[in-house]
Amino acid sequence: MMKKKSISTSRASLVFFLCQMISALDVPLDLSQPPTITQQSPKDYIVDPRENIVIQCEAKGKPPPSFSWTRNGTHFDIDKDAQVTMKPNSGTLVINIMNGGKAEAYEGVYQCTARNERGAAISNNIIIRPSRSPLWTKEKLEPNQVREGDSLVLHCRPPVGLPPPIIFWMDNAFQRLPQSERVSQGLNGDLYFSNVQPEDTREDYICYARFNHTQTIQQKQPISVKVFSMDSLNDTIAANLSDTDIYGAKPVTERQPVLLTPTGSTSTKVELRGNVLLLECIAAGLPTPVIRWIKEGGELPANRTFFENFKKTLKIIDVSEADSGNYKCIARNTLGSAHHVISVTVKAAPYWITAPRNLVLSPGEHGTLICRANGNPKPSISWLANGVPIAIAPEDPSRRVDGDTIIFSHVQERSSSVYQCNASNEYGYLLSNAFVNVLAEPPRILTPANKLYQVIADSPALLNCAYFGSPKPEIEWFKGVKGSILRDSEYVFHDNGTLEIPVAQKDSTGTYTCVARNELGKTQNEVRLEVKDPTMIIKQPEYKVIQRYGQVSFECIIKHDSTLVPMVIWLKDNDELPDDERFLVGKDNLTIMNVTDKDDGTYTCIVNTTLDSVSASAVLTVVARPNPPFDLELTGQLERSIELSWIPGDENNSPITNFVIEYEDGLHEPGVWHYQTEVPGTQTTVQLKLSPYVNYSFRVIAVNEIGRSQPSEPSEQYLTKSANPDENPSNVQGIGSEPDNLVITWESLKGFQSNGPGLQYKVSWRQKDVDDEWTSVIVANVSKYIVSGTPTFVPYEIKVQALNDLGYAPEPSEVIGHSGEDLPMVAPGNVQVYVINSTLAKVNWDPVPLKTVRGHLQGYKVYYWKVQSLSRRSRRHVEKKILTFRGNKTFGMLPGLEPYSSYKLNVRVVNGKGEGPASPDKVFKTPEGVPSSPSFLKITNPTLDSLTLEWGSPTHPNGVLTSYILKFQPINNTHELGPLVEIRIPANESSLILKNLNYSTRYKFYFHAQTSVGSGNQITEEAVTIMDEVQPLYPRIRNVTTAAAETYANISWEYEGPDHANFYVEYGVAGTMASRQVDIATQGWFIGLMCAVALLILILLIVCFIRRNKGGKYPVKEKEDAHADPEIQPMKEDDGTFGEYSDAEDHKPLKKGSRTPSDRTVKKEDSDDSLVDYGEGVNGQFNEDGSFIGQYSGKKEKEPAEGNESSEAPSPVNAMNSFV
């Protein structure tokens, strides 16, 4: 036997659906079966009286059933009523109201019967009632005059409608009246005021009733309410009483709560099981009471309890018998409380425990119909057969009634019938049809053949095998066409034929066969199962924090089965994305541009396929600067302090770290805000210190990590009282501007520092160390006072005191100032100069007496200048230099002097006024130094064995030149240096011809000047002697030969001479004069030939040039590194010379004068190579018609030798071309 298991809880809903589907297909429609009601109108059917009434009744059966109706318990003959028709092949009635019928005439209880040869099924009793929306009755409404603080109820009393109307209150402008804890609408539609306020005064309190069935709204007459405040009552009473009367209405008094509804201390409430329980308590009182609900002896049911109407209404949904009990509402304010207990009883209309189900039996089988219901009170059960009470129905020996059960045994085909079970109590009834159908049928499978099922791996797979047969077939499952029966524990076999694979794997894919068999036969069906890879989100969206107006992107990268097509949907807070172009949905991401506060929320990526769905969410937090604080309030006003409080604005998802408080002084600096203080972000009050006589306004700025908020609106102004100044001016100074005055200055007090009107300053002074009295003067609106007639530069004691109309500030402290300075009177004496070296000297002097300085001694200035150079004896423009030595120094160093020069200097003392007289000029001379390098070195006129050197004297000889030193040495082709030769040249020479040099040899030269002190910096150059003398070359033709034929003659010759020569050939008949002269250079073929030859030569020259550039350069730096002057060693930096040359100079191809003549050109006659080296003659032959058939040899001028290139001549360039 196959193993059967009950379905798991996680799959209950799916299998329940399958069971329902199979139940509906219990008997195929092609087989005989009793009627079954498939559709009917609701039991309580309220219809629109303006539209046709449609009473539904649909049924199925084989053969198709016929329909009949009863109305109010008697047969309803629709043929006799022209307004009533029945739809074809249906039991549905249509009552024509729109063509003259009246809905009220068709009120009643209707019941439909569907009948065929196997039985009759009946519908519920359908009560037809037309909806009603009556008008309000006319009534005279008196204005409501209420004292402030009293309670008030405005009654709505809507007309009784069917169904009851929806009540709401509005004004004349069709705006809903605002409701609150104080003012609210009750369940009965009345408007309750716990206490009235002056703002409740109005004349348009209007109650509206909306009747949904008829889509009409009825309006009550406006109600007027006038609230009298205590002040207005007192004014009215005062106007009507004399001065001697005692009058005055009592002020608004607070009252403890009193319940307006429900009244009394207890009440009862009955509600039916499954309905919504609504309990209400509304209380009067001042202050407005707060309502609280409890259940005595228990807890309010979780997840089903809700509070509405400002907690005045308790709502419990889907109530059950367990919700019965006592519910207490408590109204409380500061003066006391009131309570009310509502006793709730939950009754129940009948509800099914086991409803009877259709029964299909084969002849001779047994079966039962069970009808069990519950309710409060418990319902009674009654049976009917084919719509007739079973007690009076035709006898059937195969059935027996046992209370709520009918037992069938040994049924026959005539036992087929429809049975009705009726369960009823005082709150309602249940009616259910169930047929008994006796059939003998072989098995049939109702699931379509080869149906394809697709599931996701690791999820359940349910393969259907809906079947029918009588007797009931047994079901077996096989995998594959010839597989064995499935018995393993990995499968679950359900009663409705479904095969369940609890955890489908990839290897579960395949064909499954369902076999159904009973005693009348057997049948089978195949279905296919495909197991797909699950859809996964491999990169989920992540939590993001973004500043307002930024850009954010959420990723959602998925992996899915290749045969499934995924659809990605993005949601915001479980709803569709806003219709906004800022939201850009890409293939695997969501991008939000220009983020705003509204974008804050949870974003969910949902991936749907036809088989599965996955999702992932991430939260977006939009942060921004906080909103400004508001509701600034000043309390605790004192003379020197006040308390400021405020309400923080929205922090915009970034906590407020601190608040900055600023103030404005509207009296002294209106419109200018100053920093006052700041407090932590958790603080919303601060005690502020104040200054007298300031008209304060305050504002608050909130700060978070993103930035500062906009300032709050300013607080109210607060003017502090005047007082004596608390402080005196700061930065008091006394400095004279002239020798006979004293200028006293100070920083004025700011407006809020004045502490009162009439701010002035008392300026006092007296000469220090002299027994004088203080001299004082009072000034206003200034920050400077000049004392005239003072001695020159004497100390004074000074003080400045603030005062206003209320008095003086505290005694100020004294400062020391000086009267004005004058120029120093004497020059420094005993000036001495000590020359340290050729560029540095030291000067000493005696200080001047301090009394003669007549001011603050700032230091000494040394003026010095060059008179002349001792080496040139020529005067030039005198440029004086100044060195300042701060303080009371008596010596100084003079750097940067020029050697071998005559200087003058003097010294002056300096004070704040200026310089004193100069000391007598002191003359000193600097000794000789080493010269600078020669100004230039040129090498010209190279010959085979000589070079000419020219140079310029040093720009700075720094003494008397004694001589020049020239050193030179040859450089061979391997960059090695030869022996060094040194020549001393007299100082008055400026050129030299070096003779007896080697031809075609490169030389390196080192040149510097000398004084008696030593040698100066050297300069270097390179040059090359030429290779050979070049003789003029003249064209020459020799060895002319001829060879004649019948129609032409060959003429040959040898040519020596320059290129580009023109050849002229004269020929004629023997014995006659030459009759024809041919100019070859003017022939087209010859011009083309010369162009080709020239092009070939140009290409060869380019190739040669590239090869030379690649390997033929002579880097100067490498040569100098390899062949340094043996007498020149690297020197220290303080020598002023260096041991190597810079790369910038060394890598030049050729230094000035080293490789080319002075005019930087290479002349043909000066070339190292002779053009003759290339010459091998030219052999030319001409045909009789003048065509060239011989050879032509071109010559090229050799380029000048460069770098360390070999002196050998390159191979000659021969251009060989033959023409026929």
Side-chain angles (χ1 to χ4, degrees), residues 39-272:
Q39 191 172 3
Q40 57 183 316
S41 294
K43 294 177 182 179
D44 191 6
Y45 189 14
I46 300 175
V47 298
D48 189 336
R50 300 166 299 179
E51 297 180 356
N52 292 341
I53 301 173
V54 178
I55 310 175
Q56 290 185 329
C57 180
E58 302 291 341
K60 68 177 182 177
K62 182 71 174 182
S66 61
F67 297 89
S68 62
W69 286 86
T70 63
R71 176 182 173 187
N72 297 325
T74 62
H75 176 68
F76 181 36
D77 191 351
I78 61 174
D79 295 332
K80 294 182 178 180
D81 192 334
Q83 302 295 333
V84 180
T85 58
M86 184 183 295
K87 290 185 178 180
N89 302 319
S90 168
T92 299
L93 295 181
V94 178
I95 303 173
N96 197 332
I97 300 300
M98 300 178 69
N99 288 333
K102 292 186 177 181
E104 292 80 2
Y106 293 93
E107 281 192 72
V109 179
Y110 293 77
Q111 188 172 44
C112 172
T113 300
R115 185 185 308 275
N116 69 8
E117 61 188 29
R118 286 189 170 251
I122 62 175
S123 70
N124 293 321
N125 287 328
I126 302 170
I127 302 174
I128 302 296
R129 294 187 296 171
S131 64
R132 297 180 179 88
S133 52
L135 298 174
W136 248 289
T137 58
K138 294 289 185 179
E139 58 180 325
K140 184 178 181 181
L141 300 177
E142 297 293 335
N144 292 274
Q145 297 188 1
V146 194
R147 186 176 62 174
E148 181 182 357
D150 287 352
S151 62
L152 174 65
V153 180
L154 299 182
H155 298 288
C156 180
R157 299 189 185 98
V160 177
L162 185 68
I166 298 173
I167 306 302
F168 52 94
W169 290 79
M170 302 180 75
D171 59 16
N172 276 332
F174 297 102
Q175 299 297 315
R176 284 188 179 269
L177 296 175
Q179 299 190 22
S180 62
E181 289 184 340
R182 186 177 63 85
V183 182
S184 61
Q185 177 183 317
L187 294 176
N188 62 355
D190 293 345
L191 192 62
Y192 293 85
F193 295 78
S194 296
N195 53 79
V196 295
Q197 301 296 328
E199 60 265 24
D200 296 328
T201 298
R202 62 191 308 155
E203 297 180 352
D204 57 350
Y205 287 93
I206 305 173
C207 181
Y208 288 85
R210 183 173 68 217
F211 298 90
N212 284 342
H213 264 68
T214 58
Q215 298 181 349
T216 58
I217 296 177
Q218 304 290 354
Q219 172 183 335
K220 187 182 178 73
Q221 289 181 302
I223 301 174
S224 173
V225 174
K226 185 173 184 180
V227 179
F228 291 96
S229 65
M230 294 301 98
D231 291 340
S232 62
L233 281 174
N234 287 335
D235 292 343
T236 302
I237 295 171
N240 295 315
L241 296 177
S242 63
D243 293 339
T244 60
D245 291 332
I246 300 175
Y247 68 95
K250 295 182 180 179
V252 177
T253 57
E254 295 183 339
R255 294 174 288 105
Q256 67 180 21
V258 175
L259 287 173
L260 297 175
T261 184
T263 58
S265 59
T266 61
S267 60
T268 61
K269 172 81 171 180
V270 176
E271 191 56 77
L272 293 181

Side-chain angles (χ1 to χ4, degrees), residues 1192-1204:
Y1192 171 77
S1193 175
K1195 292 187 173 67
K1196 82 175 186 69
E1197 181 178 316
K1198 184 180 179 185
E1199 300 210 2
E1202 185 175 11
N1204 60 338

Side-chain angles (χ1 to χ4, degrees), residues 399-458:
R399 75 173 178 237
R400 179 170 61 87
V401 178
D402 184 8
D404 58 6
T405 303
I406 300 179
I407 303 170
F408 297 92
S409 58
H410 303 291
V411 296
Q412 300 300 320
E413 187 173 352
R414 64 178 179 273
S415 300
S416 297
S417 184
V418 182
Y419 293 88
Q420 291 82 33
C421 174
N422 187 305
S424 61
N425 66 9
E426 61 185 282
Y427 297 106
Y429 73 93
L430 293 173
L431 178 68
S432 178
N433 291 276
F435 64 69
V436 175
N437 196 13
V438 181
L439 294 171
E441 288 291 328
R444 64 171 68 184
I445 295 178
L446 307 178
T447 300
N450 297 315
K451 183 173 182 179
L452 175 63
Y453 293 90
Q454 294 179 324
V455 297
I456 295 297
D458 298 325

Side-chain angles (χ1 to χ4, degrees), residues 832-848:
Q832 300 292 329
V833 180
Y834 302 94
V835 178
I836 297 175
N837 56 38
S838 60
T839 60
L840 181 66
K842 179 180 180 182
V843 57
N844 290 357
W845 62 86
D846 291 340
V848 299

Side-chain angles (χ1 to χ4, degrees), residues 1001-1039:
T1001 301
R1002 184 178 300 280
Y1003 286 89
K1004 185 169 184 178
F1005 298 90
Y1006 313 90
F1007 193 70
H1008 61 264
Q1010 283 188 329
T1011 64
S1012 60
V1013 176
S1015 299
N1017 296 332
Q1018 68 179 10
I1019 58 175
T1020 63
E1021 283 292 350
E1022 293 181 11
V1024 180
T1025 56
I1026 65 176
M1027 185 175 183
D1028 198 358
E1029 297 289 347
V1030 178
Q1031 299 298 327
L1033 185 63
Y1034 300 99
R1036 184 173 61 175
I1037 297 175
R1038 59 180 180 166
N1039 297 333

Side-chain angles (χ1 to χ4, degrees), residues 7 11-27 36 38 60 352 355-358 432 446 464 466-467 494-498:
I7 191 164
R11 302 185 294 272
S13 59
L14 178 57
V15 174
F16 177 76
F17 168 76
L18 292 173
C19 293
Q20 293 294 97
M21 181 181 69
I22 296 300
S23 176
L25 297 176
D26 270 349
V27 182
T36 300
T38 58
K60 68 177 182 177
W352 291 117
R357 297 181 62 183
N358 294 337
S432 178
L446 307 178
N464 294 336
Y467 63 90
H494 296 285
D495 290 337
N496 61 4
T498 297

Side-chain angles (χ1 to χ4, degrees), residues 878-923:
V878 176
E879 179 183 354
K880 290 189 177 182
K881 298 181 179 178
I882 303 172
L883 284 177
T884 301
F885 300 94
R886 299 290 178 186
N888 198 21
K889 293 189 68 173
T890 60
F891 69 92
M893 305 299 289
L894 306 181
L897 303 176
E898 293 185 14
Y900 205 51
S901 300
S902 176
Y903 281 89
K904 286 184 179 181
L905 66 76
N906 58 55
V907 185
R908 311 175 193 198
V909 67
V910 181
N911 66 9
K913 186 72 173 179
E915 301 174 1
S919 65
D921 291 346
K922 193 75 174 179
V923 179

